[in-house]
Amino acid sequence: MKTTSSHGLHGASLCTPYLLLVPLGLLAVLLVLPSLGSSNARSDGLGVLCGGAGADGYSVSSGADESKAPAAPPRRAEEFSLLVGVLTMPGRRERRDIVRMAYALQPPAPPGVARVDVRFVFCSVTDPVEAALVALEARRHGDILVLNCTENMNDGKTHAYLSSVPRLFASRPYDYVMKTDDDTYLRVAALAEELRGKPRDDVYLGHGFAVGDDPMPFMHGMGYVVSWDVARWVSANEEILRHNDTHGPEDLLVGKWLNIGGKGRNRYSLKPRMYDLNWFMDNFRPDTVAVHMLKDNRRWAAAFRYFNVTAGIETSDLYHLP
């Protein structure tokens, strides 16, 4: 697995040009940390992508080393590209570190198949303490996407994410955009194989729910993928905001928008390979694409053991007594 800078986006010091987008506390911290190195930022009025020199900026691919790439590298020869947005909150730093390890230690997509970029998605960070810590995290890892919204779960954050991404990455669009949560373990190679043979347009993929005669009017909020044209349609569709249709269970609302607009007609349910973990942690599947409800460290440890993430690491290796 390669770790690269933030999607080839280079510019001025981290987020400093975006005074209206980044809270004052975060901006102050950024301005007093010049020793952390040059950084990258990109904004189109809806959010800002923050990264730093030498940052992780997880790109789950198996292509050539991009650490020496020019400022605006050409699109590589993968069959498709996928942006994974992990919706999280500033205070969940330990969880983000666990999720970063989960991506860093799993096999990448097969060579030449997919470029998969993982970004952690916040709304505006207003608390001064959280702002200081998020600024350091952005400098260190380069995988932070800050949206121009108030932090929430079911009050418009998903809409802000899906509508911001097409503008933030307009110069180098992805083929697919995924929304997922920080309690979901996503197996990137398995998802890449599922997407490989799918259309590149009008796609809506996830754990589908059947309602009445409709086999999948919406996808479970643990994680779902839309094609770039669908995200672009959400971004341009002012009717969603005009009707204040962003408040409520986000997974149901996304399905509602697409159903009303006649979008996402190529629908694919990966159930049962995308599923919730039950309370007894006995329903892991070897063919898992994504498992949800990893709400504590015990469950994450169980997932790592089941999927052999910790294979080869002996407990005795962790202790070196004199």
Side-chain angles (χ1 to χ4, degrees):
M1 176 173 301
K2 304 294 183 184
T3 58
T4 71
S5 59
S6 300
H7 199 68
L9 300 177
H10 298 260
S13 295
L14 176 61
C15 308
T16 54
Y18 309 104
L19 305 181
L20 297 179
L21 298 175
V22 181
L24 183 59
L26 177 57
L27 181 63
V29 174
L30 297 175
L31 291 174
V32 299
L33 291 175
S35 62
L36 291 178
S38 62
S39 56
N40 314 316
R42 169 69 183 273
S43 171
D44 287 295
L46 293 172
V48 59
L49 175 63
C50 303
D56 295 340
Y58 291 97
S59 295
V60 188
S61 61
S62 55
D65 182 2
E66 292 183 283
S67 62
K68 300 178 181 179
R75 291 183 66 91
R76 294 189 6 227
E78 289 91 359
E79 295 179 18
F80 65 87
S81 56
L82 166 68
L83 174 66
V84 177
V86 182
L87 271 61
T88 183
M89 299 180 73
R92 295 179 182 170
R93 283 176 293 280
E94 182 183 27
R95 174 69 58 79
R96 287 192 294 281
D97 284 341
I98 291 173
V99 176
R100 285 186 181 102
M101 286 191 293
Y103 286 110
L105 296 176
Q106 63 176 279
V113 171
R115 174 184 174 83
V116 183
D117 293 339
V118 181
R119 301 290 179 260
F120 292 95
V121 182
F122 302 90
C123 286
S124 299
V125 186
T126 56
D127 180 83
V129 174
E130 296 292 358
L133 296 175
V134 168
L136 291 173
E137 190 175 346
R139 286 278 186 159
R140 172 62 184 89
H141 297 290
D143 57 3
I144 302 296
L145 180 60
V146 181
L147 305 176
N148 188 19
C149 56
T150 302
E151 192 60 70
N152 69 89
M153 183 174 73
N154 285 316
D155 200 19
K157 184 173 182 178
T158 296
H159 180 267
Y161 168 63
L162 290 176
S163 61
S164 297
V165 161
R167 305 185 195 187
L168 287 167
F169 299 100
S171 64
R172 195 182 177 200
Y174 290 86
D175 294 298
Y176 301 106
V177 178
M178 183 175 196
K179 174 268 169 185
T180 188
D181 295 331
D182 64 5
D183 63 344
T184 297
Y185 179 57
L186 173 66
R187 300 180 74 202
V188 172
L191 178 61
E193 283 298 329
E194 285 292 335
L195 289 172
R196 190 175 187 180
K198 302 295 189 292
R200 301 291 183 255
D201 298 309
D202 215 19
V203 169
Y204 184 29
L205 174 147
H207 173 127
F209 277 97
V211 177
D213 294 331
D214 192 332
M216 58 181 109
F218 71 96
M219 304 294 172
H220 191 305
M222 74 170 73
Y224 46 84
V225 177
V226 297
S227 51
W228 187 257
D229 63 302
V230 172
R232 196 170 53 216
W233 175 82
V234 172
S235 180
N237 188 351
E238 296 181 357
E239 291 295 315
I240 295 173
L241 293 176
R242 184 174 296 118
H243 294 289
N244 199 27
D245 208 9
T246 63
H247 307 284
E250 55 87 19
D251 47 2
L252 288 171
L253 287 175
V254 171
K256 177 182 177 181
W257 305 334
L258 302 189
N259 293 337
I260 291 175
K263 301 297 181 181
R265 287 172 294 183
N266 295 315
R267 300 194 177 190
Y268 306 93
S269 177
L270 299 188
K271 182 181 180 180
R273 298 181 65 198
M274 298 179 71
Y275 56 94
D276 285 333
L277 188 66
N278 68 33
W279 291 111
F280 303 102
M281 296 188 297
D282 60 0
N283 63 319
F284 287 114
R285 298 173 54 97
D287 62 348
T288 294
V289 172
V291 55
H292 182 232
M293 297 292 288
L294 305 184
K295 297 292 187 181
D296 55 40
N297 291 353
R298 184 174 66 96
R299 289 184 160 217
W300 278 98
F304 289 160
R305 284 193 299 270
Y306 182 85
F307 295 110
N308 293 319
V309 174
T310 57
I313 302 176
E314 300 294 337
T315 303
S316 59
D317 293 337
L318 306 179
Y319 304 97
H320 299 283
L321 299 178

